Amino acid sequence: MVGHLRKKLDEKGVINMGRLLVFEGIDGSGKSTQIEMLSNFLKSQKQKVFVTREPGGTEFGEKCRELFLGEKLDGLTEACLAFASRNEHILQKIKPALRLGYWVLCDRFSDSTIAYQGYGRGVEINFLREMATNIEKQLSEIRIIYVHTSLERCLERIKKRSGVKNKFDNSSKIFYEKVIYGYSNIVKERGGTIIQVDGNDEIKKVFSKILQSVPELEQFKTNHNHLGDI
Ligand code: ADP
Ligand code: TYD
């Protein structure tokens, strides 16, 4: 491990040794599956891993999540709840974990708010972008992995998925098409920060693609024979 190369300073000049990897994509695209695989893989490589999600991640964030997913709300209200949850998440969990050298694997972040509340629900995108930029200033680096899976596959997977449904699971095809269009614009705007992987492939192939294409995981490329253990 080349620990000294991974040390970065955050905006307050505090040494920040971990890495924040955010997974984005529409519901059913395969984010949670890939996060679990990557978490297991990194742990097998003796790395410290913190898996978290949004909205949520803190006691306050989980309360926001309950309101966010349980209530019928205006898009702007949803966006405010998502950002409120995110800010506490960064302050209470993400930054402390990064300082302690953890790999932070986060299921969704700002791009979900821009794609769902902005493109999907019509909240002003520039306002959301500005909020996202300001909130992300608190982090020295962020890598986003966008799992791009066709809507048909996602809808099939959501239908089959067991567990409690959330209010977005019953969203219309038109809504998801807008969200996917939003993600495609976000990919262009974010440039090199975001890595797009094809989520239509089989699970292990998607994972292998992530290992191959995410620069932060470069050091583990040659270890992907461990894939068989996951
Ligand atoms: P998300 O977190 O993006 O909503 P999940 O990881 O929960 O997606 O995946 C949704 C469902 O699809 C789960 O039942 C999961 O087992 C299945 N799944 C995930 N990735 C794939 C894949 N690449 N091929 C086939 N099924 C998949
Ligand atoms: P989640 O369980 O993360 O979704 P998934 O089905 O992908 O596993 O549920 C969170 C839902 O909230 C999901 O439908 C996306 C939506 N969401 C937003 O609309 N805006 C946001 O800012 C975030 C973080 C999530």
Side-chain angles (χ1 to χ4, degrees):
M1 170 64 56
V2 280
H4 64 287
L5 291 180
R6 291 178 49 210
K7 286 183 187 174
K8 298 274 173 207
L9 299 182
D10 69 14
E11 90 283 7
K12 284 191 184 137
V14 176
I15 287 176
N16 189 342
M17 291 173 66
R19 282 279 186 265
L20 171 59
L21 305 183
V22 167
F23 285 73
E24 287 285 356
I26 61 166
D27 305 63
S29 56
K31 300 177 301 299
S32 318
T33 304
Q34 294 304 322
I35 288 174
E36 193 184 347
M37 285 188 82
L38 183 56
S39 167
N40 291 339
F41 174 76
L42 288 170
K43 284 178 187 164
S44 78
Q45 302 296 302
K46 308 274 178 283
Q47 301 293 306
K48 295 190 283 187
V49 183
F50 173 58
V51 173
T52 188
R53 68 174 180 183
E54 292 208 345
T58 63
E59 209 175 301
F60 170 76
E62 290 300 324
K63 284 183 193 157
C64 292
R65 183 181 180 92
E66 228 179 282
L67 291 170
F68 186 94
L69 295 177
E71 304 276 334
K72 199 169 180 307
L73 302 169
D74 178 66
L76 180 56
T77 312
E78 285 181 359
C80 292
L81 269 177
F83 280 120
S85 164
R86 187 160 303 132
N87 197 46
E88 287 306 312
H89 195 196
I90 291 172
L91 294 170
Q92 293 181 29
K93 298 281 175 162
I94 297 177
K95 285 178 63 155
L98 292 173
R99 286 196 194 112
L100 291 170
Y102 278 80
W103 289 87
V104 178
L105 310 183
C106 187
D107 199 335
R108 301 188 177 280
F109 209 61
S110 312
D111 293 342
S112 284
T113 317
I114 298 174
Y116 281 74
Q117 279 63 50
Y119 286 91
R121 303 216 49 204
V123 178
E124 219 219 299
I125 288 162
N126 281 334
F127 166 72
L128 297 178
R129 265 199 213 112
E130 215 170 297
M131 287 284 279
T133 306
N134 273 294
I135 235 169
E136 287 173 18
K137 268 189 200 148
Q138 302 177 87
L139 298 158
S140 61
E141 271 184 340
I142 171 169
R143 171 71 62 199
I144 299 147
I145 298 152
Y146 170 50
V147 184
H148 181 50
T149 308
S150 77
L151 180 54
E152 286 62 35
R153 278 199 199 205
C154 291
L155 294 176
E156 265 169 41
R157 291 179 191 173
I158 293 169
K159 234 196 258 169
K160 279 195 216 149
R161 183 161 63 177
S162 53
V164 189
K165 302 251 179 261
N166 72 50
K167 70 178 180 188
F168 291 91
D169 284 343
N170 295 319
S171 298
S172 69
K173 248 179 131 172
I174 295 169
F175 172 77
Y176 278 124
E177 272 158 7
K178 289 189 212 161
V179 174
I180 291 171
Y181 172 72
Y183 274 123
S184 70
N185 278 348
I186 291 167
V187 168
K188 283 182 214 144
E189 282 160 19
R190 286 257 192 206
T193 310
I194 198 160
I195 306 278
Q196 178 170 324
V197 292
D198 185 354
N200 296 296
D201 278 335
E202 60 182 54
I203 291 174
K204 280 194 175 179
K205 221 165 165 193
V206 180
F207 182 65
S208 180
K209 260 287 172 48
I210 290 173
L211 268 196
Q212 296 304 315
S213 56
V214 174
E216 287 75 10
L217 300 172
E218 169 92 36
Q219 58 190 304
F220 303 114
K221 261 189 190 173
T222 52
N223 295 2
H224 70 278
N225 51 343
H226 287 262
L227 273 178
D229 307 335
I230 293 167

Short mmCIF file of all heavy atoms in Angstrom, two decimals, residues 26-33 157 161 199 201-203 206, ligand 1:
data_model
loop_
_atom_site.label_atom_id
_atom_site.label_comp_id
_atom_site.label_asym_id
_atom_site.label_seq_id
_atom_site.Cartn_x
_atom_site.Cartn_y
_atom_site.Cartn_z
N ILE A 26 -30.03 4.57 -11.70
CA ILE A 26 -31.45 4.51 -11.33
C ILE A 26 -31.71 3.28 -10.47
O ILE A 26 -30.86 2.39 -10.35
CB ILE A 26 -32.40 4.57 -12.56
CG1 ILE A 26 -32.17 3.39 -13.50
CG2 ILE A 26 -32.25 5.90 -13.28
CD1 ILE A 26 -33.30 3.24 -14.53
N ASP A 27 -32.87 3.23 -9.88
CA ASP A 27 -33.27 2.12 -9.01
C ASP A 27 -33.15 0.81 -9.80
O ASP A 27 -33.62 0.72 -10.93
CB ASP A 27 -34.73 2.30 -8.56
CG ASP A 27 -34.96 3.65 -7.90
OD1 ASP A 27 -34.78 4.68 -8.57
OD2 ASP A 27 -35.29 3.65 -6.71
N GLY A 28 -32.54 -0.18 -9.19
CA GLY A 28 -32.41 -1.49 -9.83
C GLY A 28 -31.22 -1.59 -10.76
O GLY A 28 -30.99 -2.64 -11.38
N SER A 29 -30.42 -0.54 -10.88
CA SER A 29 -29.28 -0.57 -11.81
C SER A 29 -28.18 -1.51 -11.32
O SER A 29 -27.34 -1.96 -12.10
CB SER A 29 -28.74 0.84 -12.05
OG SER A 29 -28.38 1.45 -10.83
N GLY A 30 -28.14 -1.78 -10.02
CA GLY A 30 -27.15 -2.71 -9.48
C GLY A 30 -26.13 -2.07 -8.54
O GLY A 30 -25.11 -2.68 -8.23
N LYS A 31 -26.43 -0.87 -8.06
CA LYS A 31 -25.49 -0.17 -7.17
C LYS A 31 -25.19 -0.94 -5.88
O LYS A 31 -24.03 -1.17 -5.56
CB LYS A 31 -26.05 1.22 -6.77
CG LYS A 31 -26.31 2.15 -7.91
CD LYS A 31 -26.93 3.44 -7.45
CE LYS A 31 -28.25 3.29 -6.73
NZ LYS A 31 -29.35 2.69 -7.50
N SER A 32 -26.25 -1.33 -5.18
CA SER A 32 -26.04 -2.00 -3.88
C SER A 32 -25.26 -3.30 -4.06
O SER A 32 -24.40 -3.62 -3.23
CB SER A 32 -27.37 -2.33 -3.20
OG SER A 32 -28.25 -1.27 -3.34
N THR A 33 -25.56 -4.01 -5.14
CA THR A 33 -24.86 -5.27 -5.42
C THR A 33 -23.37 -5.01 -5.59
O THR A 33 -22.52 -5.71 -5.03
CB THR A 33 -25.44 -5.90 -6.72
OG1 THR A 33 -26.85 -6.05 -6.54
CG2 THR A 33 -24.79 -7.22 -7.05
N ARG A 157 -35.83 -5.92 -12.77
CA ARG A 157 -35.15 -6.24 -11.51
C ARG A 157 -35.92 -5.71 -10.30
O ARG A 157 -36.02 -6.39 -9.29
CB ARG A 157 -33.73 -5.64 -11.50
CG ARG A 157 -32.78 -6.31 -12.47
CD ARG A 157 -31.44 -5.63 -12.40
NE ARG A 157 -30.54 -6.02 -13.47
CZ ARG A 157 -29.35 -5.45 -13.67
NH1 ARG A 157 -28.94 -4.47 -12.88
NH2 ARG A 157 -28.58 -5.87 -14.65
N ARG A 161 -37.34 -7.80 -7.17
CA ARG A 161 -36.65 -7.56 -5.91
C ARG A 161 -37.60 -7.75 -4.73
O ARG A 161 -38.70 -7.20 -4.72
CB ARG A 161 -36.08 -6.14 -5.93
CG ARG A 161 -35.28 -5.78 -4.74
CD ARG A 161 -34.40 -4.59 -5.00
NE ARG A 161 -35.13 -3.36 -5.33
CZ ARG A 161 -34.52 -2.20 -5.54
NH1 ARG A 161 -33.22 -2.10 -5.50
NH2 ARG A 161 -35.22 -1.13 -5.83
N GLY A 199 -24.11 -1.51 -16.62
CA GLY A 199 -24.74 -2.35 -15.61
C GLY A 199 -25.61 -3.45 -16.19
O GLY A 199 -26.24 -4.21 -15.44
N ASP A 201 -24.41 -5.88 -17.99
CA ASP A 201 -23.60 -7.10 -17.97
C ASP A 201 -23.88 -7.92 -16.73
O ASP A 201 -24.51 -7.45 -15.80
CB ASP A 201 -22.10 -6.72 -17.98
CG ASP A 201 -21.62 -6.40 -19.38
OD1 ASP A 201 -22.22 -6.91 -20.34
OD2 ASP A 201 -20.66 -5.62 -19.49
N GLU A 202 -23.33 -9.15 -16.74
CA GLU A 202 -23.53 -9.96 -15.53
C GLU A 202 -22.74 -9.37 -14.36
O GLU A 202 -21.75 -8.64 -14.57
CB GLU A 202 -23.21 -11.42 -15.79
CG GLU A 202 -21.79 -11.65 -16.23
CD GLU A 202 -21.51 -13.11 -16.52
OE1 GLU A 202 -22.26 -13.70 -17.33
OE2 GLU A 202 -20.56 -13.63 -15.91
N ILE A 203 -23.18 -9.71 -13.16
CA ILE A 203 -22.69 -9.05 -11.94
C ILE A 203 -21.16 -9.03 -11.85
O ILE A 203 -20.55 -7.98 -11.61
CB ILE A 203 -23.31 -9.73 -10.70
CG1 ILE A 203 -24.82 -9.41 -10.65
CG2 ILE A 203 -22.64 -9.26 -9.41
CD1 ILE A 203 -25.62 -10.10 -9.57
N VAL A 206 -19.52 -6.67 -14.36
CA VAL A 206 -19.64 -5.25 -13.97
C VAL A 206 -18.59 -4.94 -12.92
O VAL A 206 -17.89 -3.92 -13.00
CB VAL A 206 -21.07 -4.94 -13.41
CG1 VAL A 206 -21.18 -3.47 -13.03
CG2 VAL A 206 -22.15 -5.31 -14.41
P1 ADP B 1 -29.83 -0.77 -6.84
O1 ADP B 1 -29.07 -0.73 -5.54
O2 ADP B 1 -29.16 0.02 -7.91
O3 ADP B 1 -31.27 -0.44 -6.70
P2 ADP B 1 -29.51 -3.65 -6.63
O4 ADP B 1 -28.06 -3.87 -6.49
O5 ADP B 1 -30.37 -3.72 -5.41
O6 ADP B 1 -29.77 -2.26 -7.38
O7 ADP B 1 -30.03 -4.66 -7.72
C1 ADP B 1 -31.40 -4.80 -8.01
C2 ADP B 1 -31.72 -6.29 -8.26
O8 ADP B 1 -31.06 -6.69 -9.44
C3 ADP B 1 -31.24 -7.22 -7.15
O9 ADP B 1 -32.17 -8.24 -6.99
C4 ADP B 1 -29.90 -7.76 -7.68
O10 ADP B 1 -29.64 -9.06 -7.23
C5 ADP B 1 -30.14 -7.75 -9.18
N1 ADP B 1 -28.91 -7.43 -9.95
C6 ADP B 1 -27.98 -6.51 -9.65
N2 ADP B 1 -27.02 -6.44 -10.59
C7 ADP B 1 -27.36 -7.34 -11.54
C8 ADP B 1 -26.76 -7.75 -12.78
N3 ADP B 1 -25.63 -7.20 -13.23
N4 ADP B 1 -27.38 -8.73 -13.48
C9 ADP B 1 -28.55 -9.27 -13.04
N5 ADP B 1 -29.17 -8.94 -11.87
C10 ADP B 1 -28.57 -7.99 -11.13
#
